[in-house]
Each structure stands twice: as C-alpha cells, then as structure tokens.
Amino acid sequence: MNKTIRILAIVLAVQAAVSAYSLMGRSSLEATPANSSLLSFEVGQVDHLVVNDAGQASTEIVKQGGKWVLPAADGFPADQAKVGRMLDTLHGLKRGLPVAASGADFTRFKVDGKSFERHVLLKKGNDVVADLYLGNGAGVNRSYARISQDKAVYDAAVGTYDLPTNPDGWEDKTVLGLADKEVSAIDLNSGLKLTRTVAADKTVDWQASALEAGKRPKQAAVNQWLSQLTAISFDKVLGKEAKPDYGLDKPALTVTLTYGKSARSYQFGKLKDGDNYVLKVSDRPEFFQLAGFAVKPLLDG
C-alpha cells in the first residue's frame, strides 16, 4: 500500500510540474499581444544590415554618406530601393499566433542558432537593434521566424529569397544607365559617327558621317540600339583589376557616347570561357560581367 501511495504521489508531482511549465509558457506568450510588431526598431536609425545563412555565406550592407554600399564589393552601390523595401518589410512584421514555443521545435522549423535559412542582424552603429532567424517557407512570401533569445516561432510575411547572402543580389544593377534622349553623338570603332540634330521645326534626326549625301540612317533602328545600350544591366561586378580572360585587348565592340558636356566610352570583351562578356566603361573603375544575350543585339546592330 505504501509503495502504491508513493507511486501515485510521484505521478501527481510530475503532472503538476508539467502543468506548471505549460502554464508558464502559455502566460509568457499571452503576455505579448497578438498582431503587435515582431521587431522593435526605427527604420531611419539602421545603418548596417547583415544577412547570413547556415552555410556561412554572408553579406553586409552599410550606410555611408546617406547611401547603402557593399563593403565586400569595394563599396559598390547597393540597390537603395531594395534595401529600403526590406527594412520596411522587417519593420512591418507582426506577431500572429505562435506556431511553436519550445526549443525542441527550432530545428524542425530551421530557426535555431545552427540550422536556419537566414540570420538577419540590423544595427545602429555597434548596437544590434534587431536579431532575427528565418527558417522554412510557410507559404508564398512567408517564412517561419524567431527572434534571437525568444522561444516563440511565428509565421512571418517575408521570404528568404528576398534576402540574398551574396553581394550580387544587392548590387545596384542600374548604375550604368543613361538617359538616351540626352545623347547627342555616337562614335563606333568602325569609324561611323552618328550625330543627333534638331531641325528648325524641332524634328530630332540622326545624321551619319559615313553615308552618302542625302541619305539618312534608319532612325528607329538607331534609337532602339541606343536605348539598349543606355539601359544595359550587368550580372555581377568582377572587381577593379583587368585580367587577360576578359578579352578587352581585342574588344568585340568599342563605342563612345557624348551626352551633355560629358562622354562615356564602352568596351565589350568576350570572356575566354562561356558566352558571357565583360564591359569596361570609362567613368567607373569596375569591370562588369554581362550575359551574352544582353550584348548580342548591340553587336548585331
């Protein structure tokens, strides 16, 4: 009988402990109002964004002189709009009902300190203002999320693919853009020079130096070719050091554009391996890699 009583007492004690633990966890979660902000920071105060994955790939973006840049890419400009949108997204994340409240679930949702899809740090100077783990996808544009040191896992409205861990994913791909209507002259390495003229009736016309008198270049074709060049985008920055594999010793195309009181020269070289090209422009120190399909229309034009 005494043995039975002791066993019952132990069972009751275990049940009481489990119940108390459950109530403690529930009360701590219920203390945070539903639909409150998941992260507590002011967007304008953030000057440092770090994105890591569990494979140790990492990218940091730093605000310098009011602009976001990529230190790993020698301070190359980041996509200002993309960084701004991501900070707004993170600032707007809300707490719904937690999908888990135990460290035992962190691995399953991939939000623990060793197994995660993204680890996002936001800083103001040296101070961390937000520390967030993002895990498995929870649907379209959604991921499971956990604040560092927090036991609750939430379904958050942010996709990990919007937080690349390589600098290429944050580069400003528009830095080579020019306003084609500002271009007044096109000089090609073939010896052809095109000049934009404005007639008395304000008609805009392209004249070619190498054509017979009275003949005009095809206006639509020139405008289309120029718009492709002035809006050209690159795949990635190759750094600031010239290399033999870039093919710029014998460029596939050299062209100079005059716009306003400035000019920019373009040199396109065929990479030794593959179908890609390298572009060097006269007003930037970097070399840029471009896909072959982006360059081909310029070569054929």
Side-chain angles (χ1 to χ4, degrees), residues 6 16 33 53 67 95 98-99 105-106 197 215 237 241 262:
R6 284 198 299 272
D53 66 20
K67 298 291 185 181
R95 297 175 187 263
V99 297
D105 295 312
F106 293 172
T197 61
K215 291 190 176 182
V237 179
E241 180 184 353
S262 302

Side-chain angles (χ1 to χ4, degrees), residues 184-203:
S184 59
I186 304 171
D187 281 287
L188 294 158
N189 58 333
S190 62
L192 177 65
K193 181 173 182 178
L194 298 163
T195 305
R196 191 196 297 265
T197 61
V198 181
D201 61 357
K202 297 185 178 180
T203 301

Side-chain angles (χ1 to χ4, degrees), residues 220-259:
V222 174
N223 288 327
Q224 181 179 2
W225 186 91
L226 178 61
S227 66
Q228 291 173 324
L229 180 60
T230 55
I232 200 162
S233 180
F234 62 90
D235 286 345
K236 63 180 179 180
V237 179
L238 296 175
K240 299 178 181 179
E241 180 184 353
K243 297 182 180 180
D245 290 350
Y246 291 172
L248 292 171
D249 55 333
K250 295 181 180 179
L253 173 65
T254 300
V255 57
T256 299
L257 300 183
T258 301
Y259 59 100

Side-chain angles (χ1 to χ4, degrees), residues 58-92:
S58 179
T59 291
E60 63 174 341
I61 311 161
V62 178
K63 184 178 281 188
Q64 294 179 353
K67 298 291 185 181
W68 292 100
V69 299
L70 295 154
D74 294 326
F76 190 81
D79 185 331
Q80 308 298 306
K82 180 172 183 173
V83 177
R85 287 194 302 270
M86 180 48 60
L87 291 177
D88 287 341
T89 295
L90 295 172
H91 182 263

Side-chain angles (χ1 to χ4, degrees), residues 11 18 38 47 63 77 94 114 175 178 186 194 214 240 281 291:
V11 170
V18 170
L38 181 62
D47 57 19
K63 184 178 281 188
K94 301 295 183 182
K114 295 182 179 180
V175 296
L178 291 177
I186 304 171
L194 298 163
K240 299 178 181 179
V281 294

